[in-house]
Amino acid sequence: MIKYISLHRSNNGLSQWNRPLSFALLLLVLVSQSCSIQKHIPEDELLYTGGKIAIETDSILEQEDQLKSELENILRPEPNSKFLGIYPGLYYYYKTQREKPGFINNWLYKKIGEEPVYVSDVKTYEVDDIIVNRLENHGFFYSNSASTLEKNVEDKTGEALYTVSIKQPYTLASYQLDSIQEPIYTDIESSINTTQFKKGLRFDLAFLKTERQRIDNDLKSKGYYNFNPDFLIFEADTTRYTSRQFDLYLRLKNAVPKKSLVPYRVEKINIYSDYDIENSAATNDTIRFNNKNFIETESYFNPENLDPFITLKEGDYYNPQESRNTARRLSTIGTYKYVNIQYQEMDSLLTDSTAVLHANIYLSPLNKRALKAELQAVTKSNSFAGPALEFSYSNRNLFKGGEIFNLSTSLGYEFQVGGGNNNPSASSTSIGVKGEVLFPKVLFPFKISDTFFDYSIPKTKTSLGIDYLNRSDLYRLLSGTAEFGYLWNENRYTTHELNPISINYNNLIKTTPEFDEILEDNPFLQQSFDQEFIAGLNYSFTYNEMVDVNKKHQIYANTTVDIAGNVVSLFGKNNTDTRTKTFLGLEYAQYAKLDVDFRYHFNFNSDQKIATRLFAGYGMPYGNSDLMPYIKQYYSGGPNSVRAFSIRSLGPGTYEGTEDGSYNNFVDQTGNIRLEANVEYRFPLFSFFKGALFADAGNVWNSKENEALPGGKFSSDFMSQLGIGVGVGLRVDVQGFVIRFDFAAPVHDPTLKEGERYDFQYEETTFNFGIGYPF
């Protein structure tokens, strides 16, 4: 009989060659390796170059390559790292053994150095045992491994050869449950009936561990609060067969506690909606609502509003998934700083068939009101800079139902400090007020069942804002926004946002003769400002695996659909002067817009990654609009776009701006089509400083020709019109708060003549400053 088998393996010999090298450091390494390391190897030693596996079988072996790769991964020790056929880490180890190694050699050794691994360090008999142990864990019993060391005295190297003789594996003949007492016998038997173990399955220790954990999860969901997977034992019996088969039996360990073998029911649920750990002995009032006890020192959170977030029910069996669901839903309200669910066992009610739990949910509120003032120093890539002052007030439980009310006001002043400004007096003053109420429930004319949204309850958000912008010597703009919509998480990765009501109002309340002249010369710009009223709906879908920070392959995808003008067009009135329709006396915009943002991150380890992004966007005006409203158009260039070009300075198409640059300070270069691609290699430097190497490509275009922006129409030649730049970056990353500095230079400028566009313009390096990573 073969009983439960465990595997012990060494973690020695971890790879050293996992640190990033800058281009300059790599060049130093390559130059230094012109000298051979052979002369540094001691006379009585040979450098270990690694091990090889040769497999011999007495039958057809399925997935032989996969098994061979697994065995090669457990060979110890690992040899010294090689790069392009050379040993940079080993080279600088030997350099530091000299009497005066020098500062550079010492520094390089600390960064990439590693001690030599010699043939004398290899204990092949230990590796043979590990190989046999691993084979037995996979069902290849009675296999063996024989090893030899091959030495090359001339090259001063040696390698290990392991010849592995693998016998036919043992396969499953039957899987059954041993005698166990009720009621747990029936529940384990029910779980076994859904097992993935089938006749003919090869014995595998990992499968047994997975099966044991699966059964434990099933039992937990049926109320077995005190059960533990370690209580289960598998026994494999081979005595009935001569053809390498085994019967698998599952039984319980001896002396398992009685309370671990019975399911628990939740008899009582107590919710402490304003729990204070420092004043836990305070007198509390209890309100009984929907078979739950709501306990609080004062009327803080209405029970009927809090109840939908709690999926636990009195009388149900204990289920850890329901506990996690409840904790997650309560945490998303935004009113509590922590949520703690504790279960109390009622030992006096324990019987041979059931047991009782009391569920206590402790909710510790955040401060209900918060006031914040923030002074900002703003610098922008369009050469505007200046101070900004922002005040905000928050109430986190406005109507005692977890409603969050935010009111913010802002005051800013900007002036142009460079960038070829032909109007030194140009400045900008902005004043804004915005109010927002976030309801942790669905506000809808018809009642929606609380169980319809299983993962989380959607939030309803309403907002209203007004902004005033005074651009000196140009115009004064008054704008207002109103929004009503829903935000919810479908699961851990997927988020939906739907705004059925989205309104923007923009009105040029005063213009200067200079700006009037600009609009007269650019009728497209004039039309985009004429569309004062934007009313429609938008929907955004986001899939985000970036929440799993340890995942090797991460994907992020966002799709946004924005549609405006269809409903108001039903009530529009014809305007004979402009041949367009108006609503409430305002010309309204009518368009459809689609954005797709796809990102992929490949994590080498916790410190290094390659981050990529693809973005495509298209806006289609129709009906009452000949072009997209100005605030809905795309732009390219800047800290989060093609960083080799200043913000909004790239495109559209091959447009290169006016000869004197007079418009470039006032008119952003925009379009209704945008394509962009980015790639960035991120690596650590020291402490909380990180570096980056990146390349960006992109541009914007118009679907119609604009005489004021020649060369801006999208065509089949769009690939040759991409602006491309490369650069380096420095990031200060302190616990996720990132300050970013990027330096980039163009390598392909679409404003130049064909045949001259590829030119590394390092003298035109653009500096970008940003908060957070660009993608």
Side-chain angles (χ1 to χ4, degrees):
M1 181 177 289
I2 303 168
K3 292 194 175 182
Y4 199 70
I5 301 171
S6 62
L7 170 64
H8 304 278
R9 55 174 294 188
S10 170
N11 291 320
N12 295 330
L14 298 178
S15 174
Q16 300 290 321
W17 187 247
N18 59 0
R19 301 181 177 90
L21 290 174
S22 67
F23 178 79
L25 180 57
L26 179 59
L27 184 61
L28 283 173
V29 171
L30 293 176
V31 171
S32 68
Q33 292 304 306
S34 58
C35 299
S36 173
I37 63 167
Q38 289 182 341
K39 62 183 179 181
H40 300 290
I41 300 175
E43 292 185 2
D44 57 343
E45 295 285 5
L46 298 176
L47 186 66
Y48 178 61
T49 59
K52 294 182 179 179
I53 295 285
I55 293 180
E56 299 176 351
T57 64
D58 60 358
S59 60
I60 297 177
L61 180 61
E62 297 182 0
Q63 299 179 333
E64 180 177 338
D65 291 341
Q66 180 178 338
L67 179 62
K68 183 177 180 181
S69 176
E70 181 179 348
L71 295 178
E72 287 175 344
N73 288 334
I74 65 176
L75 300 183
R76 294 292 181 269
E78 292 189 3
N80 291 106
S81 302
K82 296 177 68 175
F83 181 73
L84 299 179
I86 54 181
Y87 295 89
L90 189 55
Y91 175 81
Y92 284 103
Y93 166 82
Y94 287 127
K95 279 286 189 180
T96 58
Q97 302 307 303
R98 300 188 306 185
E99 184 176 349
K100 295 181 179 180
F103 169 78
I104 296 296
N105 288 329
N106 278 328
W107 183 79
L108 288 171
Y109 173 68
K110 291 180 180 179
K111 291 294 181 182
I112 64 173
E114 53 184 22
E115 295 185 3
V117 179
Y118 296 126
V119 170
S120 60
D121 298 322
V122 182
K123 297 178 175 58
T124 56
Y125 59 91
E126 292 183 356
V127 177
D128 285 330
D129 291 340
I130 295 176
I131 291 174
V132 171
N133 193 305
R134 180 61 60 90
L135 291 173
E136 289 179 346
N137 289 339
H138 286 305
F140 300 102
F141 297 103
Y142 308 111
S143 298
N144 61 74
S145 173
S147 56
T148 59
L149 288 172
E150 288 197 355
K151 302 178 181 180
N152 189 326
V153 179
E154 183 178 349
D155 290 340
K156 305 190 74 172
T157 60
E159 65 177 351
L161 298 180
Y162 298 90
T163 302
V164 182
S165 178
I166 299 180
K167 303 298 182 180
Q168 181 182 349
Y170 279 75
T171 57
L172 180 66
S174 68
Y175 175 30
Q176 50 195 301
L177 180 62
D178 209 341
S179 178
I180 301 176
Q181 68 187 70
E182 290 286 7
I184 197 171
Y185 177 88
T186 299
D187 289 320
I188 294 180
E189 185 180 45
S190 174
S191 181
I192 287 179
N193 291 335
T194 62
T195 184
Q196 297 297 315
F197 284 6
K198 304 299 180 185
K199 184 176 180 179
L201 182 71
R202 174 169 53 83
F203 178 92
D204 195 297
L205 181 60
F207 289 171
L208 300 185
K209 292 180 178 179
T210 302
E211 174 73 356
R212 193 171 63 167
Q213 188 62 54
R214 187 191 67 82
I215 294 173
D216 176 68
N217 291 338
D218 281 352
L219 292 176
K220 286 290 198 308
S221 67
K222 295 175 181 178
Y224 290 86
Y225 177 74
N226 282 310
F227 195 79
N228 190 302
D230 290 336
F231 295 157
L232 294 171
I233 292 180
F234 285 106
E235 291 186 348
D237 184 2
T238 62
T239 58
R240 293 178 54 193
Y241 306 99
T242 59
S243 56
R244 293 184 178 269
Q245 290 182 293
F246 66 95
D247 293 322
L248 187 64
Y249 295 90
L250 176 63
R251 67 173 182 85
L252 289 176
K253 284 184 177 179
N254 296 325
V256 175
K258 176 183 176 181
K259 64 180 183 179
S260 300
L261 302 178
V262 295
Y264 281 72
R265 290 186 183 273
V266 179
E267 182 189 57
K268 186 181 294 186
I269 300 175
N270 303 315
I271 300 102
Y272 298 85
S273 60
D274 63 340
Y275 182 73
D276 184 357
I277 193 172
E278 297 180 355
N279 192 26
S280 58
T283 302
N284 297 316
D285 296 327
T286 301
I287 299 175
R288 184 72 175 173
F289 179 82
N290 197 18
N291 298 320
K292 302 179 185 69
N293 298 321
F294 291 84
I295 305 169
E296 52 189 8
T297 56
E298 60 181 25
S299 180
Y300 178 77
F301 207 122
N302 293 332
E304 63 269 22
N305 292 324
L306 191 58
D307 181 66
F309 294 89
I310 302 169
T311 62
L312 300 177
K313 295 181 180 179
E314 290 184 356
D316 284 357
Y317 282 114
Y318 162 79
N319 189 334
Q321 184 60 46
E322 293 302 326
S323 293
R324 289 190 288 268
N325 289 343
T326 297
R328 182 185 62 251
R329 290 159 73 101
L330 289 170
S331 298
T332 60
I333 296 176
T335 301
Y336 295 106
K337 59 184 174 183
Y338 75 80
V339 176
N340 186 12
I341 301 178
Q342 297 181 4
Y343 289 93
Q344 180 181 2
E345 298 179 48
M346 311 306 293
D347 293 335
S348 61
L349 302 177
L350 176 65
T351 68
D352 291 337
S353 60
T354 188
V356 171
L357 291 173
H358 286 181
N360 298 313
I361 304 176
Y362 299 98
L363 306 175
S364 180
L366 292 161
N367 292 331
K368 184 176 180 179
R369 298 175 180 85
L371 185 65
K372 182 175 68 174
E374 186 175 356
L375 179 63
Q376 302 172 336
V378 180
T379 61
K380 297 182 179 179
S381 297
N382 58 359
S383 300
F384 273 76
L389 184 62
E390 181 174 321
F391 294 94
S392 62
Y393 165 80
S394 297
N395 186 317
R396 297 189 177 96
N397 195 19
L398 185 62
F399 305 122
K400 298 184 179 180
E403 303 86 1
I404 299 176
F405 171 69
N406 296 314
L407 178 66
S408 62
T409 61
S410 61
L411 173 65
Y413 176 75
E414 300 175 353
F415 56 91
Q416 196 143 23
V417 296
N421 180 19
N422 292 324
N423 186 4
S425 64
S427 62
S428 172
T429 304
S430 62
I431 302 174
V433 179
K434 182 178 181 181
E436 179 184 67
V437 180
L438 201 62
F439 298 86
K441 58 183 177 181
V442 179
L443 298 182
F444 197 71
F446 307 102
K447 180 174 176 57
I448 299 177
S449 172
D450 296 332
T451 60
F452 183 79
F453 299 97
D454 182 51
Y455 187 80
S456 67
I457 296 178
K459 294 183 178 182
T460 302
K461 61 175 185 176
T462 61
S463 65
L464 184 66
I466 186 169
D467 292 281
Y468 169 80
L469 175 65
N470 180 10
R471 192 81 175 265
S472 66
D473 299 329
L474 290 175
Y475 58 81
R476 295 179 184 177
L477 178 68
L478 184 67
S479 61
T481 60
E483 201 168 62
F484 176 87
Y486 308 99
L487 176 67
W488 74 96
N489 296 322
E490 180 182 338
N491 52 51
R492 188 183 181 196
Y493 303 113
T494 305
T495 302
H496 302 268
E497 183 173 357
L498 173 65
N499 297 306
I501 300 176
S502 178
I503 299 174
N504 288 268
Y505 167 75
N506 301 280
N507 187 14
L508 283 171
I509 57 178
K510 184 178 180 180
T511 61
T512 64
E514 291 83 1
F515 190 67
D516 289 337
E517 183 180 350
I518 293 173
L519 295 181
E520 184 178 349
D521 293 341
N522 191 338
F524 274 73
L525 186 64
Q526 173 72 61
Q527 291 181 47
S528 66
F529 274 103
D530 284 344
Q531 299 177 89
E532 299 176 323
F533 189 72
I534 304 173
L537 64 87
N538 56 73
Y539 167 74
S540 178
F541 168 86
T542 302
Y543 178 80
N544 183 18
E545 292 181 350
M546 307 297 177
V547 295
D548 284 340
V549 294
N550 297 321
K551 195 171 184 179
K552 188 171 186 178
H553 303 278
Q554 298 172 319
I555 292 176
Y556 170 95
N558 172 264
T559 300
T560 301
V561 179
D562 186 1
I563 301 174
N566 291 347
V567 176
V568 296
S569 66
L570 301 176
F571 309 97
K573 295 182 179 181
N574 291 324
N575 187 329
T576 56
D577 295 334
T578 60
R579 291 182 298 178
T580 58
K581 292 183 178 182
T582 61
F583 177 76
L584 300 178
L586 302 173
E587 183 177 325
Y588 61 87
Q590 198 169 6
Y591 65 85
K593 186 180 179 185
L594 174 65
D595 298 342
V596 178
D597 186 348
F598 178 83
R599 306 175 190 181
Y600 168 71
H601 289 185
F602 174 68
N603 296 287
F604 296 99
N605 51 45
S606 59
D607 294 327
Q608 300 179 70
K609 72 170 55 179
I610 291 179
T612 63
R613 179 180 67 167
L614 291 173
F615 180 92
Y618 177 69
M620 182 182 70
Y622 61 91
N624 206 47
S625 299
D626 291 327
L627 73 163
M628 298 288 293
Y630 184 73
I631 62 172
K632 295 293 183 177
Q633 295 182 16
Y634 298 107
Y635 66 88
S636 190
N640 297 313
S641 181
V642 185
R643 286 163 279 186
F645 298 84
S646 298
I647 191 170
R648 300 175 184 261
S649 69
L650 179 58
T654 60
Y655 175 68
E656 57 181 330
T658 56
E659 293 182 359
D660 60 1
S662 57
Y663 288 177
N664 289 350
N665 293 327
F666 318 126
V667 183
D668 294 327
Q669 297 163 218
T670 59
N672 66 309
I673 300 173
R674 179 186 172 195
L675 296 174
E676 195 165 291
N678 313 81
V679 60
E680 183 170 286
Y681 171 51
R682 300 169 185 169
F683 53 87
L685 294 174
F686 57 90
S687 185
F688 44 77
F689 290 93
K690 298 184 178 182
L693 302 174
F694 59 83
D696 307 314
N699 207 334
V700 295
W701 295 266
N702 288 306
S703 55
K704 296 181 180 180
E705 190 66 63
N706 182 348
E707 294 180 358
L709 301 173
K713 184 179 179 181
F714 186 80
S715 68
S716 59
D717 196 32
F718 72 93
M719 290 293 292
S720 66
Q721 299 175 6
L722 294 175
I724 304 175
V726 297
V728 297
L730 175 67
R731 289 88 165 88
V732 183
D733 189 343
V734 182
Q735 295 182 344
F737 179 77
V738 179
I739 301 175
R740 176 166 51 92
F741 306 93
D742 288 330
F743 300 86
V747 295
H748 186 267
D749 189 344
T751 65
L752 301 177
K753 296 180 180 179
E754 289 192 58
E756 300 178 2
R757 293 175 181 172
Y758 278 103
D759 182 18
F760 182 35
Q761 304 173 44
Y762 57 88
E763 71 281 359
E764 299 292 336
T765 298
T766 299
F767 168 70
N768 295 273
F769 170 79
I771 302 297
Y773 288 105
F775 50 89

